[in-house]
Amino acid sequence: MTRPARRRLTATALTVVALTAGATACSSGDGTTTATAEDSGTYTVWDPYPQFAKDSDWAKLLDDCGGKAGVTIKRTAFDTSDLTNKALLAAQQDNSPDVLILDNPVVSTLAEAGVLTTTDENKVDTSKADPNLLAAGQADGRTYGTPIGANTLALYYNKDVLKAAGVDVASIKDWASLTAALEKVKKAGKKGITFSAIGTEEGSFQFLPWFWGSGAQLTDLDSAQAVSALSLWNDWLKKGYAPNSVINNTQTTSWQEFASGDYAFAENGTWQLANAEKAGFDYGVLPIPASDGGNAAAPTGGEFVTVPVQGDTGRYATTRKLVSCLTSTENLYATDTTLSYVAPTAEVQDKQVAENAGLKPWVEAVKAAKGRTSDDLGTTYPKISEQMWKAVQSALSGAESPEDALAKAQSAVK
């Protein structure tokens, strides 16, 4: 790595910390924390899956891919925030892993820092990946990896609560019809909708479908469309359709409210599917509607498989084999099932729906989803997001009007 790249690495470290601060911490996995290969036949992989032990299907897949490529895999698992910081430090020391699996918003940050190779350089094939998902790993016209899977947000709904309130879920097409449904639910003596509006990246993540669903752009936080989105949430609180607890809710505590059985709707993600099955009531899933109808773009979660810069460029050929194996159609299906992800390719998505029809609304939501760093926002996204969640907090707490809160946010970003 050149010295200018090292200077940029130092400058971007704070951005990475800001971007990942809202992530839930996990204990790091067993294994060495150095990325140095013990010999030319050993290739290192760093991933954000400490929940998967050495005997897990994921670890076995890594070993299998290594075997097919004729090398030994040395895997280290970190929690998300620790992984990105370790990746920056390793790059500064010219000691990066061969394969780095990253939370998708971090890709553009590490790319700008000079940590990652482009797919033109490493020859990784991304042709089968859905363009909207691939966009999360693109910056300045270059692609820096390939998605291994995606999750996003949708509306879970309690069928019993809606039936008791006389709400036909098929009638919910836009914001007006959703709000009308919430009104009926409240009149029936039940609770409307719960979500997370906490003052962290989680709050921005949950607000984005409504923000984008209004037609707003992240470069214009105080547009009339953006104001309409924040006003929607604000009005729901004022009318009692959503609880005041959303201001402090994480996505986990929001889910716990929905799991009580009293709420009609909860905005949450694919990662709650297993919990939904255990909830004890009949549920369904509805893509988040846009203001005037259709599906709103929800932010994509999930990881990218990337190839860091190596001093020995001869390693890329074997690394490409490893990435191709990990993201093959056969292996994506098994991996994304384990991770509760929607696959990044149409072929595997079709297989997922064929095996589990309940995934259909999630596939639809992912197809409409959008990367938080898309539109070439790159490392400016964390700054925008911070001002967004502050505006949401200010408006929902009653400290400022949605108009004033978003005007302040836009001024701060500038």
Side-chain angles (χ1 to χ4, degrees), residues 110-399:
L110 294 191
E112 182 177 309
V115 175
L116 306 177
T117 60
T118 69
T119 52
D120 285 339
E121 293 168 330
N122 57 47
K123 308 302 180 185
V124 168
D125 181 14
T126 63
S127 60
K128 292 184 178 180
D130 285 353
N132 66 313
L133 301 181
L134 193 61
Q138 295 174 327
D140 298 324
R142 298 180 178 89
T143 303
Y144 289 92
T146 189
I148 197 169
N151 57 34
T152 193
L153 297 166
L155 295 178
Y156 288 87
Y157 60 89
N158 185 319
K159 293 183 179 181
D160 295 335
V161 171
L162 292 186
K163 183 178 180 180
V167 173
D168 179 5
V169 73
S171 69
I172 300 173
K173 304 289 187 181
D174 51 24
W175 289 1
S177 55
L178 175 58
T179 300
L182 295 175
E183 182 180 7
K184 287 184 178 181
V185 168
K186 184 184 178 185
K187 286 181 178 178
K190 291 292 185 178
K191 299 176 181 179
I193 186 169
T194 180
F195 48 87
S196 169
I198 194 170
T200 68
E201 176 61 23
E202 281 189 81
S204 291
F205 188 77
Q206 290 240 317
F207 183 57
L208 276 172
W210 312 95
F211 183 87
W212 282 330
S214 72
Q217 301 293 322
L218 286 171
T219 51
D220 192 6
L221 290 178
D222 60 349
S223 67
Q225 293 90 341
V227 171
S228 72
L230 187 48
S231 296
L232 179 74
W233 272 18
N234 203 44
D235 289 345
W236 285 350
L237 262 69
K238 286 182 177 179
K239 294 177 180 178
Y241 300 162
N244 289 328
S245 58
V246 299
I247 296 174
N248 297 313
N249 267 350
T250 64
Q251 293 179 107
T252 298
T253 56
S254 171
W255 179 261
Q256 291 167 348
E257 289 179 335
F258 180 67
S260 70
D262 293 329
Y263 282 86
F265 299 95
E267 180 184 355
N268 228 296
T270 51
W271 53 89
Q272 298 292 4
L273 281 170
N275 288 328
E277 294 294 334
K278 302 174 185 176
F281 53 80
D282 202 6
Y283 75 94
V285 178
L286 179 72
I288 296 172
S291 174
D292 297 326
N295 296 344
T300 56
E303 290 80 42
F304 264 62
V305 184
T306 68
V307 179
V309 172
Q310 300 292 337
D312 178 4
T313 58
R315 298 181 70 83
Y316 295 148
T318 297
T319 300
R320 182 168 62 251
K321 293 179 182 178
L322 296 174
V323 174
S324 296
C325 178
L326 291 173
T327 58
S328 69
T329 296
E330 177 184 359
N331 290 331
L332 275 178
Y333 178 78
T335 297
D336 290 334
T337 299
T338 299
L339 295 171
S340 292
Y341 280 173
V342 171
T345 69
E347 183 179 2
V348 184
Q349 290 167 1
D350 290 344
K351 185 175 180 181
Q352 287 180 308
V353 173
E355 292 291 329
N356 181 1
L359 289 176
K360 185 176 180 180
W362 289 109
V363 170
E364 292 176 1
V366 164
K367 285 185 176 297
K370 184 175 181 177
R372 283 165 277 176
T373 58
S374 296
D375 300 327
D376 272 335
L377 290 178
T379 55
T380 64
Y381 171 74
K383 304 169 188 176
I384 294 170
S385 176
E386 181 179 3
Q387 297 308 318
M388 176 184 287
W389 80 58
K390 286 181 177 178
V392 169
Q393 286 269 300
S394 184
L396 298 191
S397 67

